[in-house]
Amino acid sequence: MIVVGAGPGGSAAAYHLARHGVRVLLLEKTEFPREKVCGDGLTPRAVRQLIRMGIDTSEKAGWLQNKGLRVIGGGVRMELDWPELASFPSYGLVRTRMDFDDMLARQAVEAGAVLHTGVNVTGPVLNDDGYVTGVEAKVGPGKEPVRYLAPLVISADGVSGKFPLALGLAKRDDRPLGVAVRRYYRSAVKADDDYLESWLELRSAQDPGRLLPGYGWIFGLGDGRVNVGLGILNSSDAFGKTNYRNLLTDWLGSTPEDWGLRDEANADGPTLGAALPMGFNRVPHYTRGVMLVGDSGGMVNPMNGEGIAYAMESGEMAAEVAVQALARPAGPERERALQAYPAELSLRFGGYYRIGGIFVKLIGNPQIMRVATKYGMPQPLLMKFVLKLLANLTDPRGGDAMDRIINGLTKVAPSV
């Protein structure tokens, strides 16, 4: 098999394929280590996937563990611990993508995958029936043309989705989309924070009485730096009409001076941005010999902007289905097995993403957001429920009343 892209989704897919004895070629256009625009924060859902890949998530291994989420908004500052569940660990993690992706790719190689970097996949190889039988690529500084053949291809090439685009799979405009910008700062006060910090309201430093659009985060990295960023959803009137970098600077100017986030001298690198493809905004997730994984298939959680967990989870799911399909003869029998992948994705995330789409539309309304933060934030029990819902952290069986309500809602919601 061929996996296009060695981000978290591609490396997870390659790892699980190789662990099952499948010959897998993992193709990555860049060289490791490499930077990627991200919040660098991992919820327990992502931690579970790391553990399933055999990754040591201890602090001795260089991770900064966190206890939960600190939410700021409506004049309230509340710390919510990650829920105690049978299905997920009770801690989150922070680590920069500079070595995170490298670590996952190396873990896939350790399991038996073959990794080639500096390979820019340009499109599919098609047979006479329009079925994908491999990929065309350009390799090395000389951009030498190369063709790799395989019975199945997993597209994990991120938000750009160039490979599925070459197959005519465009993004859907009726699904949520976000834009996020982030920057690293040196901060002695916030660098070792044991909570991920989420800001539901952003105040302007230039006009303290004015609320800025979007939501923000401050995640301590444990190395003297913090990852600071903000995101805006396409349900907001400000989407596509705002200078996001200036917006970030304006908000940070309102933070306490001793945090060091007001001072340009404390910045560690430029402000970088990326799109957040949400709620299955590219489908189908399987067609003509190609399976879409992670951002390539628009799998970012609309509720909280989390993408890594869903990339890794879909990578494992794709690998499991592929293993079963490849054990069958090519043709109708194998195709039948491969259809289990989009069916399983829809079953696991479809209803939840449908609710997420409604949530995105609601919070895009400033009046609704203002009322929600004012009256919802002071209610600890309600906020615990909201944390479970937004982070998609419930026990499917034997959970508490909150779990049963959330699970029930996702089951009755029509799949996206």
Side-chain angles (χ1 to χ4, degrees):
M1 274 193 70
I2 291 172
V3 179
V4 180
S11 290
Y15 169 84
H16 291 288
L17 283 165
R19 193 171 57 86
H20 285 293
V22 176
R23 291 178 60 204
V24 55
L25 179 61
L26 181 59
L27 303 177
E28 168 58 37
K29 66 180 178 181
T30 63
E31 302 288 344
F32 290 114
R34 55 110 163 92
E35 190 172 30
K36 205 78 176 282
V37 180
C38 184
D40 299 333
L42 303 173
T43 70
R45 192 167 193 108
V47 177
R48 181 181 69 168
Q49 293 308 121
L50 289 173
I51 293 169
R52 290 177 69 84
M53 282 185 66
I55 299 289
D56 180 0
T57 61
S58 69
E59 296 193 339
K60 288 182 180 178
W63 299 90
L64 180 64
Q65 295 189 359
N66 55 70
K67 300 176 182 177
L69 186 67
R70 180 183 302 113
V71 185
I72 297 171
V76 177
R77 179 180 182 272
M78 180 179 293
E79 291 180 348
L80 300 164
D81 288 353
W82 298 120
E84 297 283 345
L85 298 167
S87 306
F88 300 94
S90 60
Y91 62 95
L93 296 168
V94 177
R95 191 162 191 144
T96 69
R97 295 290 294 275
M98 182 64 79
D99 66 347
F100 177 79
D101 288 19
D102 187 21
M103 178 192 304
L104 297 191
R106 283 188 280 109
Q107 194 75 354
V109 171
E110 191 81 16
V114 175
L115 171 66
H116 288 180
T117 57
V119 178
N120 184 19
V121 173
T122 55
V125 176
L126 302 174
N127 66 13
D128 293 339
D129 297 322
Y131 190 94
V132 176
T133 57
V135 302
E136 302 279 4
K138 293 182 178 178
V139 178
K143 297 182 179 179
E144 298 296 325
V146 178
R147 174 175 283 193
Y148 301 99
L149 301 179
L152 266 178
V153 175
I154 289 178
S155 171
D157 55 343
V159 64
S160 65
K162 290 181 180 178
F163 195 79
L165 276 175
L167 290 170
L169 301 180
K171 295 175 185 175
R172 291 184 53 157
D173 294 332
D174 61 339
R175 299 291 163 85
L177 179 69
V179 171
V181 294
R182 72 101 174 99
R183 195 177 196 185
Y184 294 121
Y185 282 85
R186 289 178 291 276
S187 172
V189 175
K190 302 292 287 182
D192 298 312
D193 199 344
D194 53 7
Y195 282 86
L196 299 178
E197 190 164 281
S198 177
W199 289 58
L200 303 183
E201 289 183 345
L202 307 180
R203 293 281 173 184
S204 167
Q206 298 175 20
D207 181 5
R210 183 168 69 95
L211 280 179
L212 301 172
Y215 61 91
W217 69 81
I218 301 175
F219 298 164
L221 298 174
D223 62 0
R225 299 180 300 158
V226 291
N227 180 315
V228 182
L230 62 83
I232 295 179
L233 301 168
N234 62 351
S235 57
S236 168
D237 290 339
F239 186 84
K241 306 171 186 174
T242 303
N243 185 314
Y244 304 120
R245 289 169 175 78
N246 290 347
L247 198 65
L248 180 64
T249 303
D250 191 9
W251 165 48
L252 293 181
S254 71
T255 59
E257 190 171 358
D258 64 339
W259 290 8
L261 308 180
R262 299 184 191 179
D263 190 349
E264 182 72 18
N266 291 327
D268 184 19
T271 302
L272 300 175
L276 303 174
M278 299 174 167
F280 292 162
N281 80 338
R282 184 182 278 117
V283 289
H285 290 121
Y286 170 73
T287 183
R288 292 181 287 155
V290 176
M291 309 169 88
L292 307 187
V293 157
D295 285 5
S296 180
M299 297 184 196
V300 173
N301 181 349
M303 302 274 203
N304 66 357
E306 179 182 17
I308 290 175
Y310 300 91
M312 295 181 70
E313 211 165 323
S314 61
E316 181 179 7
M317 291 165 62
E320 290 175 351
V321 170
V323 168
Q324 294 298 324
L326 290 172
R328 302 184 181 195
E333 197 173 344
R334 181 177 293 177
E335 288 299 300
R336 195 176 305 118
L338 287 165
Q339 289 301 328
Y341 177 60
E344 179 61 26
L345 279 174
S346 180
L347 183 66
R348 192 178 300 189
F349 301 129
Y352 179 80
Y353 283 172
R354 172 72 71 178
I355 296 171
I358 297 169
F359 172 80
V360 165
K361 289 177 182 176
L362 289 174
I363 66 170
N365 185 313
Q367 286 81 15
I368 292 176
M369 191 64 177
R370 198 171 295 121
V371 170
T373 53
K374 181 178 179 181
Y375 295 104
M377 282 286 294
Q379 309 296 326
L381 191 62
L382 174 62
M383 292 305 295
K384 287 180 182 179
F385 176 84
V386 170
L387 176 66
K388 281 193 167 190
L389 176 65
L390 299 192
N392 199 8
L393 295 173
T394 62
D395 277 326
R397 289 172 294 276
D400 61 16
M402 293 183 187
D403 293 359
R404 291 192 292 273
I405 292 170
I406 293 170
N407 295 339
L409 286 171
T410 60
K411 284 177 182 175
V412 300
S415 180
V416 293

